[in-house]
Amino acid sequence: MTTPEAEPTQPQTPDPGPATAGREAPDGAGTAAGQEGAARPEDRLEKAVRAAEQALIEYEIAVETFRVEVENFSRLHHQKLGPMYARLDELDAEIAEALAARSGDPEDRRRADEARARVMPMPGVEELFHGWMDGDGLYPEAAAMLTDQSVRPPQRVRPSDEARKLYRELVRKSHPDLAQDDQERGRREEFITRVNAAYARGDEPLLRELSDEWAAGPVAEQRWPSKSEELYARLEWLSQRKELLSVVARELEEGAIGAMLRMAPDDPDQLLDEIAEQLLAQVTEREAELARLTA
């Protein structure tokens, strides 16, 4: 993000014509003109700071929105495909063990042990797969999916369009970077934390309540630094903040879930369905191979 540095157009002072030539300027006019000229560098810095702050807020909104999308898609991915991945790992281990039992080869035994070690242990699986599996095996919903039967859709968290709109409006109004003192910044940071939590849950009613709460609260006075050194320091901080956000955005985009979202930005559910079909075909192949080995 390039920090905006647009300079305001400076009005041109009219050249005095014959009607004004020789007249004395009104008292204080020369002093006022000198003060205006001296203030212009700070005015340009102030405009740059305001533009950079708003641009950074928009960037933070975009990064946070993408983070929520990645987390929600990751949760749905684990819920829908996790049992299939676990089943494939188990089948691979059983096939390797059947091969080792048949051949008695130490190398086959080693490969079987490695395959068994890759199988996810039962403790903690229920938490990981959000109710699809426990220590006794697959839940009925997961088993139904593996046998191509109808299955209850997994719980998902996807903010509505109205929730997205409310979230953006709240962040623009209450962002901590708009605070003018430490006390106001603390109030805004506490409030924006609650806004982010509500948005992550897709809680539209709570976002409406937070919007009303902010509207009823104190309105921050828009005051800006007047010293050039303070404005330069502010621009430097905004630049550093943007770089940190760029790192977060890059990590999200380069992660496995982010890459999957980029593959199908308009219909990620369809992508999950396609992957599920591929995994189901692999499960069928592994089961047939295991049946052949153990027959």
Side-chain angles (χ1 to χ4, degrees):
M1 177 180 65
T2 303
T3 304
E5 293 287 352
E7 296 184 4
T9 303
Q10 300 297 333
Q12 300 296 323
T13 304
D15 186 23
T20 59
R23 293 184 182 179
E24 293 184 1
D27 292 342
T31 303
Q35 291 175 346
E36 180 182 357
R40 283 172 185 169
E42 290 187 2
D43 288 344
R44 290 196 297 269
L45 279 174
E46 183 175 347
K47 289 181 179 294
V49 167
R50 289 181 178 179
E53 285 177 334
Q54 292 301 318
L56 181 63
I57 289 173
E58 293 294 331
Y59 190 59
E60 286 197 54
I61 290 174
V63 172
E64 177 63 16
T65 298
F66 187 57
R67 185 191 65 78
V68 170
E69 291 176 354
V70 167
E71 287 187 356
N72 290 336
F73 189 74
S74 177
R75 184 181 301 110
L76 188 61
H77 177 272
H78 284 310
Q79 290 174 341
K80 191 167 187 177
L81 304 182
M84 289 188 176
Y85 286 121
R87 179 59 176 159
L88 282 173
D89 287 342
E90 176 62 30
L91 286 170
D92 285 341
E94 292 182 11
I95 289 171
E97 289 167 347
L99 287 171
R102 173 176 291 189
S103 68
D105 188 333
E107 184 63 19
D108 287 343
R109 182 71 262 170
R110 183 188 63 80
R111 283 194 287 264
D113 292 340
E114 290 180 352
R116 176 55 62 187
R118 286 193 295 268
V119 175
M120 188 174 299
M122 287 299 105
V125 168
E126 180 178 9
E127 179 181 354
L128 177 62
F129 290 128
H130 305 281
W132 281 81
M133 179 182 290
D134 62 11
D136 296 326
L138 299 177
Y139 277 3
E141 292 86 353
M145 182 174 63
L146 291 174
T147 55
D148 203 23
Q149 299 176 8
S150 61
V151 59
R152 175 177 57 82
Q155 181 182 0
R156 66 176 59 195
V157 179
R158 181 169 296 170
S160 64
D161 290 342
E162 183 62 20
R164 294 171 185 266
K165 178 181 177 181
L166 289 167
Y167 173 74
R168 290 189 175 94
E169 291 175 351
L170 282 168
V171 173
R172 291 190 182 102
K173 293 176 181 177
S174 63
H175 198 280
D177 287 352
L178 299 178
Q180 300 301 319
D181 53 59
D182 291 341
Q183 182 177 0
E184 176 64 8
R185 171 171 285 276
R187 184 177 80 91
R188 287 171 176 265
E189 287 177 345
E190 185 276 334
F191 182 82
I192 210 70
T193 297
R194 290 189 285 143
V195 170
N196 288 337
Y199 181 66
R201 296 193 302 271
D203 194 338
E204 182 179 328
L206 180 54
L207 287 171
R208 292 185 182 279
E209 293 178 9
L210 290 170
S211 181
D212 294 338
E213 177 184 332
W214 183 260
V219 178
E221 181 183 357
Q222 297 296 317
R223 293 185 295 103
W224 302 97
S226 59
K227 296 181 180 180
S228 296
E229 295 80 5
E230 294 176 353
L231 291 168
Y232 274 119
R234 180 64 171 166
L235 284 174
E236 183 178 358
W237 183 91
L238 290 169
S239 177
Q240 293 173 351
R241 175 64 179 166
K242 183 263 179 186
E243 292 303 321
L244 291 175
L245 286 172
S246 297
V247 173
V248 174
R250 186 164 55 251
E251 290 176 349
L252 288 171
E253 291 174 353
E254 294 177 354
I257 298 299
M260 292 177 68
L261 282 174
R262 291 200 307 274
M263 291 173 58
D266 297 328
D267 193 2
D269 289 344
Q270 177 62 32
L271 177 61
L272 287 181
D273 291 339
E274 293 175 359
I275 296 175
E277 290 179 3
Q278 297 172 6
L279 293 176
L280 184 59
Q282 294 177 30
V283 168
T284 302
E285 293 175 359
R286 299 288 205 289
E287 289 177 338
E289 182 179 358
L290 181 61
R292 178 179 60 80
L293 291 171
T294 57

